Amino acid sequence: MILSTEKTALANTEFLEETLEGLKQEPKRMYSKYFYDETGDVIFQQIMNMEEYYLTNAEMEIMKHQANHIADVLSDNNAGFDLIELGAGDATKSIHLLKALIDKKLDFKYFPIDISEHVIAELEQSLPAELPALNFQGLIGDYFKMLKKETAISDRKKVVLFMGANIGNMDVQEAQTFCMGLKHLLSPNDILIIGFDLKKNPRKILEAYNDKAGITSSFNLNLLSRINRELDGDFDVNAFEHYASYNPENGACKSYLISLQNQTVNIGSEEFNFSKDEYILMEISQKYSKQEIEELANASGFKVVKYFTDEQHYFVDAVWKVA
Ligand SMILES: C[S@@+](CC[C@H](N)C(=O)[O-])C[C@H]1O[C@@H](n2cnc3c(N)ncnc32)[C@H](O)[C@@H]1O
């Protein structure tokens, strides 16, 4: 059994290794999965409540109004199943699906997976209070490691939930590799429900990542503060500026931090030089058309069963089955 302190040490080693590796690349990059420490979780809640961040409302509308229909797709042949949510966050959207599944008296166990210890601790508090009938077990760690762990715990049919357009935090090639990896761990007829942000007016997309109040900016800058706190870094957070761009031709929305001056940053014993105006790629948020979603499903060994969209067609939760 791994103790909590050992788990934290392991997580910190990965955080350090990936941070150093990303900053040694040309151009420099960071990994958005590390945005979510305790402060990052709070800032992300604020992002989800921002007027400009249409994604949450659109997916919330799907879950609130169509959870029953999604539950019907899952209750196919009444077989018991494990519902595994990758990057569950606060589960405020998936809770509607959980309620619908409980109301239909389906035999399932919920496994929320999240890299943030804080997120899982909060769910362990909130879920029993909100859904006393829910059978669940939280898993702290990276998507694949925890999914593998879950498949070792139980051999029931799997329904994997991957919401919040988290798939968009990979470029299209990485997304395909990721989905092929999922398919590898699943069995025929297992299900993947995956949330995609759809291509739309470029201005609408850019505004969601470039809010006037600067919340997205503080979300990105918090990663520099986290590196200072946890990895013995000395970033001057005021010497970097958030910049977002959206390219309608390839659907990639990208967030960067721009160095405002020539500067040297130390992380432990490693030194990194930044020139004035040099950028660090912080996050990609890839947008898709339905045709591209279908291509991704087919290329990674799934077939599309159904699409659930909001009224404005901003967002889609696609139900895929292992082909
Ligand atoms: C954008 S939030 C979405 C939360 C929720 N799914 C929703 O739709 O509201 C992403 C969540 O995924 C988690 N996460 C990001 N990368 C992860 C990874 N590689 N493995 C496990 N969890 C990850 C974060 O900690 C965070 O809670």
Side-chain angles (χ1 to χ4, degrees), residues 33-295:
K33 65 179 167 186
Y34 296 116
F35 282 167
Y36 301 89
D37 67 341
E38 204 165 331
T39 311
D41 289 339
V42 172
I43 305 175
F44 189 70
Q45 303 287 333
Q46 293 169 2
I47 289 180
M48 291 205 293
N49 290 327
M50 280 169 10
E51 210 184 307
E52 294 97 332
Y53 199 74
Y54 60 83
L55 290 85
T56 308
N57 285 342
E59 197 177 31
M60 183 65 94
E61 180 193 316
I62 297 170
M63 284 293 147
K64 267 191 181 159
H65 298 142
Q66 302 182 68
N68 253 320
H69 299 305
I70 301 175
D72 285 339
V73 177
L74 305 187
S75 64
D76 234 9
N77 55 3
N78 263 334
F81 60 90
D82 296 333
L83 179 67
I84 303 154
E85 181 163 11
L86 306 179
D90 62 6
T92 47
K93 285 174 281 172
S94 43
I95 202 157
H96 296 283
L97 180 61
L98 297 173
K99 273 185 194 144
L101 295 171
I102 292 172
D103 289 348
K104 285 184 191 291
K105 304 207 176 344
L106 296 182
D107 171 20
F108 76 102
K109 182 168 177 180
Y110 176 53
F111 292 88
I113 290 176
D114 208 288
I115 201 165
S116 161
E117 239 179 294
H118 170 241
V119 155
I120 296 296
E122 294 259 303
L123 287 177
E124 280 167 355
Q125 291 286 317
S126 64
L127 287 174
E130 289 187 61
L131 296 174
L134 181 70
N135 182 13
F136 80 99
Q137 179 180 347
L139 299 172
I140 303 165
D142 197 67
Y143 300 137
F144 275 103
K145 275 192 199 148
M146 291 304 113
L147 182 55
K148 271 188 201 137
K149 184 170 172 179
E150 198 284 335
T151 53
I153 295 174
S154 143
D155 59 2
R156 294 212 294 186
K157 175 186 160 93
K158 310 290 173 213
V159 175
V160 176
L161 256 186
F162 193 37
M163 294 172 50
N166 282 18
I167 186 83
N169 293 146
M170 302 165 209
D171 66 30
V172 177
Q173 191 50 53
E174 286 167 346
Q176 187 179 323
T177 307
F178 182 86
C179 293
M180 287 167 82
L182 285 181
K183 139 106 196 202
H184 194 70
L185 290 175
L186 299 176
S187 305
N189 290 326
D190 282 352
I191 285 178
L192 174 60
I193 302 176
I194 188 166
F196 291 92
D197 191 17
L198 291 170
K199 285 182 170 166
K200 58 185 69 61
N201 187 314
R203 196 184 305 278
K204 177 96 192 152
I205 292 173
L206 191 56
E207 280 171 6
Y209 296 88
N210 201 25
D211 62 291
K212 292 195 191 75
I215 299 172
T216 315
S217 166
S218 60
F219 188 54
N220 280 266
L221 289 168
N222 176 58
L223 182 48
L224 304 191
S225 307
R226 181 178 183 193
I227 292 169
N228 289 349
R229 278 193 301 271
E230 296 181 26
L231 304 181
D232 188 25
D234 65 357
F235 274 104
D236 175 359
V237 176
N238 295 317
F240 289 86
E241 187 177 67
H242 167 69
Y243 172 76
S245 81
Y246 176 62
N247 179 347
E249 288 184 49
N250 63 11
C253 184
K254 293 184 176 177
S255 293
Y256 303 93
L257 286 178
I258 312 290
S259 174
L260 296 177
Q261 62 202 38
N262 291 330
Q263 52 185 318
T264 302
V265 174
N266 297 287
I267 300 175
S269 57
E270 302 261 0
E271 193 178 275
F272 296 95
N273 294 313
F274 293 83
S275 343
K276 183 176 184 295
D277 298 332
E278 184 178 347
Y279 64 85
I280 315 170
L281 172 61
M282 300 299 286
E283 183 173 52
I284 174 165
S285 306
Q286 181 67 38
K287 311 304 170 192
Y288 286 83
S289 66
K290 276 197 181 163
Q291 192 190 325
E292 288 162 340
I293 294 171
E294 197 148 338
E295 284 166 9

Side-chain angles (χ1 to χ4, degrees), residues 3-21:
L3 298 170
S4 179
T5 42
E6 285 177 58
K7 255 192 294 187
T8 309
L10 266 176
N12 262 350
T13 311
E14 262 178 39
F15 178 27
L16 177 64
E17 283 171 1
E18 293 202 86
T19 301
L20 297 179
E21 174 263 316

